[in-house]
Amino acid sequence: MFLPASLFSFLSDLKENNTREWFGENKERYLVQKSAFDQFTVQLIQQFGEFENMDGVELKHCSYRIYRDVRFSKDKSPYKTWFSASFSEGGRKSGLMDYYLHIEPGGKSFLGGGMYEPSPEQLAIFRQEVDYNAPQLKNIIFSTEFVKVFGDPVGESLKKMPKGYDINHPEIELLKRKQLFFWHKYADSEVCDPQFAEHLIHDAQILKPFLDFLNAIFFDKEPYTTK
Protein backbone atom coordinates (compact mmCIF):
# COMPACT_ATOMS: atom_id res chain seq x y z
CA MET A 1 0.00 0.00 0.00
CA PHE A 2 1.32 3.45 -0.95
CA LEU A 3 -0.03 6.94 -1.53
CA PRO A 4 -1.03 7.84 -5.12
CA ALA A 5 0.22 10.92 -6.96
CA SER A 6 -3.44 11.91 -7.42
CA LEU A 7 -3.53 12.70 -3.69
CA PHE A 8 -1.06 15.52 -4.26
CA SER A 9 -3.01 16.71 -7.29
CA PHE A 10 -6.16 17.00 -5.22
CA LEU A 11 -4.41 18.83 -2.36
CA SER A 12 -2.75 21.24 -4.80
CA ASP A 13 -6.10 22.02 -6.39
CA LEU A 14 -7.66 22.47 -2.97
CA LYS A 15 -4.96 24.97 -2.02
CA GLU A 16 -5.83 27.02 -5.12
CA ASN A 17 -9.59 26.73 -4.54
CA ASN A 18 -10.08 26.61 -0.78
CA THR A 19 -13.81 27.33 -0.71
CA ARG A 20 -16.85 25.36 0.38
CA GLU A 21 -18.29 25.68 -3.12
CA TRP A 22 -15.27 24.10 -4.81
CA PHE A 23 -14.97 21.41 -2.16
CA GLY A 24 -18.61 20.48 -2.56
CA GLU A 25 -18.18 20.14 -6.31
CA ASN A 26 -15.10 17.96 -5.78
CA LYS A 27 -16.34 15.93 -2.81
CA GLU A 28 -15.98 12.64 -4.67
CA ARG A 29 -12.32 13.40 -5.43
CA TYR A 30 -11.77 14.12 -1.77
CA LEU A 31 -13.41 10.87 -0.64
CA VAL A 32 -11.22 8.85 -3.01
CA GLN A 33 -8.03 10.44 -1.69
CA LYS A 34 -9.19 10.27 1.92
CA SER A 35 -9.82 6.57 1.46
CA ALA A 36 -6.27 6.08 0.12
CA PHE A 37 -4.77 7.97 3.07
CA ASP A 38 -6.98 6.10 5.54
CA GLN A 39 -5.86 2.74 4.16
CA PHE A 40 -2.25 3.88 4.40
CA THR A 41 -2.82 4.97 8.01
CA VAL A 42 -4.31 1.58 8.94
CA GLN A 43 -1.24 -0.11 7.47
CA LEU A 44 1.02 2.15 9.52
CA ILE A 45 -0.87 1.38 12.73
CA GLN A 46 -0.02 -2.27 12.18
CA GLN A 47 3.63 -1.48 11.45
CA PHE A 48 4.00 0.85 14.43
CA GLY A 49 2.64 -2.03 16.49
CA GLU A 50 5.92 -3.84 15.90
CA PHE A 51 7.68 -1.47 18.33
CA GLU A 52 4.91 0.51 20.07
CA ASN A 53 1.85 -0.64 22.02
CA MET A 54 -0.92 -0.02 19.51
CA ASP A 55 -3.42 -2.43 21.08
CA GLY A 56 -6.93 -1.12 20.51
CA VAL A 57 -5.76 1.79 18.38
CA GLU A 58 -7.90 2.27 15.27
CA LEU A 59 -8.00 4.69 12.37
CA LYS A 60 -10.36 7.06 14.23
CA HIS A 61 -7.80 7.36 17.04
CA CYS A 62 -5.05 8.54 14.67
CA SER A 63 -6.54 10.58 11.84
CA TYR A 64 -7.41 14.29 11.75
CA ARG A 65 -10.33 16.02 10.09
CA ILE A 66 -9.67 18.10 6.99
CA TYR A 67 -11.99 20.85 8.26
CA ARG A 68 -10.23 23.80 9.90
CA ASP A 69 -11.35 25.48 13.11
CA VAL A 70 -11.45 29.10 11.94
CA ARG A 71 -13.15 30.62 15.00
CA PHE A 72 -10.01 32.30 16.31
CA SER A 73 -7.98 32.49 13.10
CA LYS A 74 -7.50 35.39 10.71
CA ASP A 75 -7.24 32.82 7.92
CA LYS A 76 -10.82 31.78 7.21
CA SER A 77 -9.93 29.09 4.66
CA PRO A 78 -12.31 26.26 5.57
CA TYR A 79 -10.06 23.31 4.75
CA LYS A 80 -6.59 22.06 5.57
CA THR A 81 -4.46 21.52 2.48
CA TRP A 82 -2.80 18.40 3.85
CA PHE A 83 -3.60 14.98 5.29
CA SER A 84 -2.20 14.02 8.67
CA ALA A 85 -2.22 11.39 11.40
CA SER A 86 -0.58 10.76 14.76
CA PHE A 87 0.55 7.42 16.14
CA SER A 88 0.99 6.49 19.79
CA GLU A 89 -0.28 4.19 22.48
CA GLY A 90 -3.89 5.17 23.11
CA GLY A 91 -4.12 7.32 19.97
CA ARG A 92 -3.63 11.02 19.34
CA LYS A 93 -5.75 12.13 22.31
CA SER A 94 -3.70 10.14 24.83
CA GLY A 95 -1.48 13.12 25.61
CA LEU A 96 1.68 11.11 24.99
CA MET A 97 4.47 12.40 22.79
CA ASP A 98 3.63 10.79 19.44
CA TYR A 99 4.76 10.31 15.85
CA TYR A 100 3.12 12.93 13.64
CA LEU A 101 2.79 12.29 9.89
CA HIS A 102 2.02 15.27 7.64
CA ILE A 103 1.41 14.82 3.89
CA GLU A 104 1.39 18.01 1.82
CA PRO A 105 2.49 18.81 -1.78
CA GLY A 106 5.66 20.67 -2.62
CA GLY A 107 8.10 18.71 -0.47
CA LYS A 108 6.29 19.74 2.72
CA SER A 109 5.54 16.21 3.88
CA PHE A 110 7.30 15.12 7.05
CA LEU A 111 7.47 12.78 10.01
CA GLY A 112 7.97 14.63 13.27
CA GLY A 113 7.77 14.35 17.00
CA GLY A 114 8.82 15.90 20.26
CA MET A 115 8.12 18.72 22.67
CA TYR A 116 5.97 21.00 20.50
CA GLU A 117 3.45 22.63 22.86
CA PRO A 118 4.63 21.67 26.36
CA SER A 119 2.75 22.82 29.41
CA PRO A 120 4.58 25.01 31.95
CA GLU A 121 4.80 21.93 34.19
CA GLN A 122 6.36 19.87 31.40
CA LEU A 123 8.87 22.60 30.63
CA ALA A 124 9.89 22.67 34.28
CA ILE A 125 10.31 18.88 34.30
CA PHE A 126 12.31 18.99 31.06
CA ARG A 127 14.69 21.65 32.39
CA GLN A 128 15.18 19.81 35.64
CA GLU A 129 16.04 16.66 33.71
CA VAL A 130 18.50 18.54 31.50
CA ASP A 131 20.06 20.07 34.61
CA TYR A 132 20.63 16.68 36.26
CA ASN A 133 20.82 14.24 33.36
CA ALA A 134 21.73 16.00 30.10
CA PRO A 135 23.99 13.18 28.80
CA GLN A 136 21.06 10.80 28.32
CA LEU A 137 19.20 13.26 26.09
CA LYS A 138 22.31 14.40 24.24
CA ASN A 139 23.35 10.82 23.51
CA ILE A 140 20.04 10.41 21.70
CA ILE A 141 19.58 13.63 19.74
CA PHE A 142 23.25 14.14 18.89
CA SER A 143 23.95 10.56 17.84
CA THR A 144 25.26 10.16 14.31
CA GLU A 145 22.23 8.25 13.04
CA PHE A 146 19.70 10.61 14.63
CA VAL A 147 21.37 13.74 13.27
CA LYS A 148 21.66 12.17 9.81
CA VAL A 149 17.90 11.61 9.63
CA PHE A 150 16.44 14.43 11.73
CA GLY A 151 19.13 17.11 11.76
CA ASP A 152 18.84 20.07 14.10
CA PRO A 153 15.88 20.60 16.43
CA VAL A 154 12.99 22.83 15.44
CA GLY A 155 11.25 25.25 17.78
CA GLU A 156 11.56 28.36 19.89
CA SER A 157 14.05 29.16 22.64
CA LEU A 158 14.13 31.80 25.34
CA LYS A 159 16.37 34.78 24.67
CA LYS A 160 17.52 34.75 28.28
CA MET A 161 18.35 31.97 30.71
CA PRO A 162 15.25 30.59 32.51
CA LYS A 163 14.85 31.61 36.12
CA GLY A 164 16.64 29.44 38.63
CA TYR A 165 19.53 28.44 36.37
CA ASP A 166 23.06 29.81 36.22
CA ILE A 167 23.81 31.78 33.07
CA ASN A 168 27.08 29.83 32.86
CA HIS A 169 25.35 26.45 32.98
CA PRO A 170 27.05 24.06 30.49
CA GLU A 171 23.66 23.09 28.99
CA ILE A 172 22.44 26.65 28.52
CA GLU A 173 21.11 26.07 24.98
CA LEU A 174 18.99 23.07 25.98
CA LEU A 175 17.73 24.83 29.11
CA LYS A 176 16.57 27.83 27.07
CA ARG A 177 14.42 25.60 24.88
CA LYS A 178 10.67 26.31 24.86
CA GLN A 179 10.20 23.66 22.18
CA LEU A 180 12.29 20.69 21.12
CA PHE A 181 10.82 19.11 18.02
CA PHE A 182 12.42 17.13 15.20
CA TRP A 183 11.20 16.36 11.71
CA HIS A 184 12.33 14.62 8.58
CA LYS A 185 10.96 15.97 5.32
CA TYR A 186 10.08 13.90 2.25
CA ALA A 187 9.92 14.85 -1.41
CA ASP A 188 6.63 14.18 -3.17
CA SER A 189 8.31 11.42 -5.18
CA GLU A 190 9.41 9.70 -1.95
CA VAL A 191 5.86 9.76 -0.56
CA CYS A 192 4.51 8.12 -3.72
CA ASP A 193 7.21 5.45 -3.76
CA PRO A 194 5.95 1.90 -3.02
CA GLN A 195 8.62 1.64 -0.30
CA PHE A 196 7.56 4.81 1.50
CA ALA A 197 5.93 3.02 4.44
CA GLU A 198 9.11 1.04 5.08
CA HIS A 199 11.25 4.19 4.94
CA LEU A 200 8.83 5.98 7.25
CA ILE A 201 8.88 3.19 9.83
CA HIS A 202 12.67 3.08 9.68
CA ASP A 203 12.81 6.80 10.47
CA ALA A 204 10.21 6.42 13.22
CA GLN A 205 12.34 3.81 14.95
CA ILE A 206 15.23 6.29 14.99
CA LEU A 207 12.90 8.89 16.54
CA LYS A 208 11.59 6.43 19.14
CA PRO A 209 14.34 6.86 21.81
CA PHE A 210 13.69 10.61 21.92
CA LEU A 211 9.94 10.14 22.35
CA ASP A 212 10.61 7.44 24.94
CA PHE A 213 12.80 9.91 26.85
CA LEU A 214 10.06 12.56 26.89
CA ASN A 215 7.30 10.11 27.80
CA ALA A 216 9.44 8.77 30.64
CA ILE A 217 10.06 12.17 32.24
CA PHE A 218 6.58 13.57 31.62
CA PHE A 219 4.45 10.49 32.30
CA ASP A 220 6.81 8.07 34.06
CA LYS A 221 6.18 5.69 31.15
CA GLU A 222 8.54 2.79 30.49
CA PRO A 223 9.65 2.37 26.85
CA TYR A 224 7.58 -0.25 25.05
CA THR A 225 9.42 -3.30 23.81
CA THR A 226 8.02 -6.29 21.96
CA LYS A 227 7.87 -9.56 23.85
Side-chain angles (χ1 to χ4, degrees):
M1 180 64 198
F2 60 95
L3 296 173
S6 56
L7 183 146
F8 284 130
S9 297
F10 169 77
L11 290 175
S12 295
D13 289 346
L14 175 58
K15 187 174 183 179
E16 294 296 320
N17 305 275
N18 200 331
T19 66
R20 289 182 176 82
E21 292 75 17
W22 184 90
F23 192 84
E25 293 170 358
N26 290 269
K27 188 67 174 289
E28 288 302 317
R29 287 181 64 193
Y30 162 69
L31 292 175
V32 169
Q33 303 311 322
K34 182 180 184 298
S35 176
F37 185 77
D38 285 350
Q39 291 178 54
F40 187 71
T41 300
V42 169
Q43 174 188 335
L44 289 178
I45 292 172
Q46 297 173 347
Q47 291 179 279
F48 272 105
E50 297 175 5
F51 55 93
E52 295 290 356
N53 181 7
M54 303 298 284
D55 292 349
V57 175
E58 303 175 11
L59 173 64
K60 63 183 179 181
H61 303 132
C62 300
S63 61
Y64 293 90
R65 290 160 50 89
I66 198 169
Y67 308 99
R68 294 182 65 245
D69 183 352
V70 301
R71 291 175 298 171
F72 308 107
S73 175
K74 292 182 179 179
D75 179 4
K76 298 302 181 182
S77 302
Y79 306 104
K80 300 172 185 175
T81 54
W82 59 84
F83 287 109
S84 57
S86 291
F87 304 88
S88 71
E89 179 179 337
R92 63 182 178 83
K93 294 184 178 181
S94 67
L96 295 173
M97 303 293 108
D98 55 18
Y99 306 85
Y100 174 72
L101 175 63
H102 181 103
I103 300 297
E104 183 175 3
K108 295 181 179 180
S109 301
F110 67 89
L111 172 70
M115 194 172 69
Y116 187 68
E117 293 183 334
S119 67
E121 293 77 15
Q122 288 175 333
L123 265 180
I125 292 171
F126 172 77
R127 287 170 179 154
Q128 184 179 57
E129 190 70 19
V130 169
D131 187 27
Y132 289 109
N133 190 24
Q136 182 182 357
L137 173 61
K138 293 170 70 175
N139 286 340
I140 296 170
I141 64 175
F142 296 140
S143 69
T144 301
E145 185 176 38
F146 193 96
V147 172
K148 181 180 179 181
V149 175
F150 289 99
D152 296 326
V154 178
E156 298 180 355
S157 294
L158 294 171
K159 294 182 179 179
K160 297 181 180 180
M161 197 66 171
K163 292 181 179 180
Y165 294 96
D166 191 329
I167 193 171
N168 295 314
H169 195 291
E171 306 303 339
I172 182 172
E173 294 305 321
L174 282 174
L175 288 170
K176 287 165 63 177
R177 281 276 171 189
K178 295 177 7 182
Q179 296 175 306
L180 191 67
F181 186 89
F182 292 88
W183 62 11
H184 178 80
K185 292 185 177 182
Y186 302 97
D188 295 359
S189 58
E190 292 180 281
V191 174
C192 297
D193 188 286
Q195 302 301 315
F196 178 57
E198 284 69 25
H199 295 319
L200 185 72
I201 291 298
H202 170 268
D203 295 342
Q205 289 175 303
I206 295 173
L207 184 62
K208 175 178 168 61
F210 175 55
L211 299 186
D212 284 346
F213 172 86
L214 294 178
N215 284 323
I217 66 172
F218 293 155
F219 307 105
D220 196 26
K221 183 180 181 302
E222 292 292 330
Y224 178 78
T225 55
T226 53
K227 297 180 180 179

